[in-house]
Amino acid sequence: MSYVSSVFERIKARNANETEFLQAVEEVFKSLEPVLERHPEYVEANLLERIAEPERQIIFRVPWVDAQGILQVNRGFRIQYNGALGPYKGGLRFHPSVYIGIIKFLGFEQIFKNALTGLPIGSGKGGSDFDPKGKSDAEVMRFCQSFMTELYRHIGPDVDVPAGDIGVGGREIGFLYGQYRRIKGVFENGVLTGKGLSYGGSLARTEATGYGLIYFVDEMLKQNHQTIQGKTIIISGSGNVATYACEKATALGAKVVAMSDSDGYIYDEKGIDLALIKQLKGVERKRIQAYLNTHPDAQYIEGLGNIWSLKCDIALPCATQNDITLEHAKTLVDNGIIAVGEGANMPCTNEAVRYLLEKNIRLAPAKAANAGGVATSALEMIQNSMRYSWTFEEVDSKLKNIMITIHANAAAASKEYGFGYNLVAGANIVGFKKVADAMMAQGDY
Ligand code: NDP
Ligand code: 2IT
């Protein structure tokens, strides 16, 4: 059995039932065989097994009182996965599906993503099985305060810097920071990113993941002498990433014809009315179906998977993991797709990834394509340290350069290690080598 296979077998045995985590590990390990052949020192240092094991996992009780006065209990998580490159950095996800396997897969992906940004950030991830849907602002505030009452002792601007992810946006980060400041008694705003502009947030952080995704996809298309202009695009999700992917794609001359939420999708052949999506999903927190109230010509179709049966040039899954299965990938290919850009984390199953690559579809992998969010979080940390803010244009231009550089580095590594133009392998290799070298240099055993 090869070194990679034997390590993977041990990881499987030790983390049975954590399916999403094992899926993420398997996908990364597949790219690393040629790297390990050229670098026997990584094998000697058992680097694969070390990198897959989190440095620290914190699981805690989050009690809070709901609007009816009933005491609710949720489970909180923070995984400090790898600190070789900098303070642990990564988002918090509030969603009822959250369990250790989800947080671990996200934290594992974050190691390589954060390394790809070229900025000094290690990897962390956290969250809770709390469901913000249907909760009042006051309930969300009480939950966030209780969550931070335990979390504060584990984080800090030079220790671990959480941010948003599914179910955690500007409102939640505000409540979390308020409680951190109250408990610590210091104005230490570099402890969280994705903050409001009034207390140290960075301009363009809200837009960064979606904009960065489009910069990356456009760069990928340029390798084939194409651009995003004039392309028909389908986006799953209608949250932070989906919204700003839609905004930038539209600004660059593409037409987004469908977006979704967890209940179903809207198809509007005239092009999605993004101002309305922002109002419905971002401000009013309604279901996407309400789009029909003002756009009766559009169609609403229940169920998430169906969105990939629509004909398009580019698919941008920006909702959640395992959104595009092998069956969906086959339908997309049959319908003439040219590219897939992963805005969400692990939105394609491993079988879908393999199939799309086999069919020569341009695939922008999540670790690279959605790294603009965390990269801009790192820019927010830099601004907080300087006690100074850059303009929107300054941050946006740094973001664009970062995305173009990630693309170039991933493409070069893929070629160097015999994968041709395969950004999935290239991104895994660049991220892995950077962290592996830092771990080797620091001993860490
Ligand atoms: P939001 O909470 O803002 O939006 C999530 C969107 O996806 C909503 O439309 C939601 O629908 C839908 N969705 C969530 N979970 C499911 C599910 N289980 N099934 C179907 N639909 C679902 O999250 P973000 O936009 O921040 O995150 C989207 C993805 O991007 C995630 O994979 C996240 O990890 C990733 N990401 C986010 C970054 C960021 O900066 N925010 C950075 C990099 C990656 P509904 O409204 O019905 O819940
Ligand atoms: O998956 C991700 O990269 C994020 N949710 C953003 C993390 C961050 O720290 O900005």
Side-chain angles (χ1 to χ4, degrees):
M1 205 189 287
S2 73
Y3 169 65
V4 176
S5 309
S6 67
V7 172
F8 187 62
E9 287 308 312
R10 283 201 292 281
I11 292 173
K12 257 184 12 196
R14 188 181 271 162
N15 303 279
N17 307 322
E18 295 176 5
T19 46
E20 295 84 359
F21 171 62
L22 294 172
Q23 178 185 339
V25 172
E26 188 174 30
E27 193 249 355
V28 170
F29 279 16
K30 282 229 156 67
S31 312
L32 298 180
E33 297 266 11
V35 180
L36 297 167
E37 262 165 44
R38 259 191 240 180
H39 293 275
E41 70 275 16
Y42 294 157
V43 180
E44 274 160 37
N46 197 10
L47 226 120
L48 278 194
E49 195 156 359
R50 280 160 57 197
I51 210 166
E53 186 67 16
E55 286 181 20
R56 196 169 297 105
Q57 308 185 52
I58 302 149
I59 303 182
F60 52 99
R61 178 174 64 192
V62 191
W64 59 283
V65 179
D66 72 15
Q68 285 72 45
I70 296 170
L71 195 127
Q72 303 284 344
V73 179
N74 284 96
R75 186 170 289 177
F77 300 89
R78 187 69 186 169
I79 295 190
Q80 298 176 334
Y81 219 114
N82 192 302
L85 298 183
Y88 308 109
K89 181 81 197 88
L92 298 171
R93 176 177 292 192
F94 291 170
H95 193 273
S97 63
V98 163
Y99 77 108
I100 193 73
I102 296 267
I103 302 299
K104 254 166 89 176
F105 114 67
L106 290 164
F108 182 74
E109 295 274 298
Q110 202 85 38
I111 303 174
F112 309 98
K113 183 196 307 193
N114 292 7
L116 280 163
T117 66
L119 295 162
I121 39 179
S123 159
K125 201 85 195 189
S128 174
D129 56 4
F130 173 72
D131 185 359
K133 265 199 208 94
K135 304 287 191 303
S136 66
D137 285 354
E139 288 176 304
V140 170
M141 182 177 77
R142 285 198 294 276
F143 175 80
C144 288
Q145 289 174 339
S146 180
F147 188 85
M148 185 54 85
T149 299
E150 172 58 32
L151 188 67
Y152 88 94
R153 71 189 73 243
H154 306 290
I155 62 176
D158 295 317
V159 180
D160 181 356
V161 182
D165 194 85
I166 291 176
V168 178
R171 173 182 64 170
E172 290 74 18
I173 294 293
F175 293 150
L176 290 165
Y177 181 63
Q179 183 71 352
Y180 180 85
R181 193 170 67 75
R182 200 170 290 123
I183 295 175
K184 293 279 304 250
V186 286
F187 194 86
E188 215 170 53
N189 61 0
V191 69
L192 290 166
T193 62
K195 298 182 291 292
L197 298 178
S198 58
Y199 62 99
S202 174
L203 285 160
R205 173 61 188 92
T206 306
E207 292 82 356
T209 313
Y211 279 22
L213 170 66
I214 300 302
Y215 294 147
F216 191 95
V217 169
D218 204 36
E219 192 61 21
M220 181 173 77
L221 295 177
K222 281 187 188 149
Q223 313 308 307
N224 264 7
H225 312 288
Q226 290 180 310
T227 67
I228 216 154
Q229 192 184 8
K231 302 291 184 298
T232 300
I233 299 184
I234 305 289
I235 300 181
S236 69
S238 48
N240 173 267
V241 180
T243 297
Y244 292 97
C246 179
E247 184 166 284
K248 184 53 78 177
T250 309
L252 294 182
K255 183 155 102 169
V256 176
V257 293
M259 288 178 82
S260 64
D261 65 14
S262 55
D263 292 337
Y265 72 86
I266 288 290
Y267 175 68
D268 189 341
E269 62 176 353
K270 291 196 234 103
I272 288 284
D273 176 350
L274 188 63
L276 179 58
I277 293 283
K278 283 183 180 175
Q279 179 63 26
L280 290 175
K281 297 299 298 181
V283 180
E284 296 174 19
R285 300 179 191 274
K286 287 195 175 142
R287 310 312 303 157
I288 205 167
Q289 185 171 13
Y291 189 95
L292 292 186
N293 298 343
T294 48
H295 291 61
D297 294 349
Q299 284 170 269
Y300 174 73
I301 293 95
E302 216 153 88
L304 192 72
N306 296 333
I307 198 170
W308 308 120
S309 64
L310 297 171
K311 193 171 162 47
C312 64
D313 301 311
I314 301 173
L316 301 178
C318 296
T320 191
Q321 63 277 355
N322 292 329
D323 184 357
I324 297 185
T325 62
L326 177 61
E327 287 315 304
H328 299 137
K330 284 183 176 167
T331 309
L332 288 167
V333 171
D334 290 346
N335 284 339
I337 195 150
I338 59 166
V340 175
E342 296 189 325
N345 285 308
M346 206 168 74
C348 297
T349 64
N350 289 354
E351 294 73 28
V353 168
R354 263 197 298 280
Y355 182 79
L356 291 167
L357 291 175
E358 241 170 63
K359 296 288 169 189
N360 279 322
I361 305 304
R362 293 295 199 212
L363 179 56
K367 289 179 200 79
N370 73 33
V374 76
T376 307
S377 278
L379 300 178
E380 182 171 329
M381 291 164 70
I382 295 170
Q383 293 170 84
N384 294 153
S385 297
M386 294 192 296
R387 299 181 190 271
Y388 181 74
S389 320
W390 290 317
T391 63
F392 188 97
E393 289 70 29
E394 282 172 301
V395 179
D396 189 36
S397 105
K398 288 181 204 306
L399 166 65
K400 191 169 184 183
N401 283 334
I402 290 168
M403 299 315 295
I404 291 173
T405 306
I406 295 175
H407 173 272
N409 291 344
S414 163
K415 198 164 162 212
E416 185 188 339
Y417 284 92
F419 287 97
Y421 183 77
N422 174 343
L423 298 174
V424 177
N428 288 336
I429 292 169
V430 176
F432 173 76
K433 280 190 68 192
K434 178 143 194 206
V435 180
D437 289 342
M439 287 171 72
M440 296 286 286
Q442 293 172 37
D444 195 17
Y445 53 88

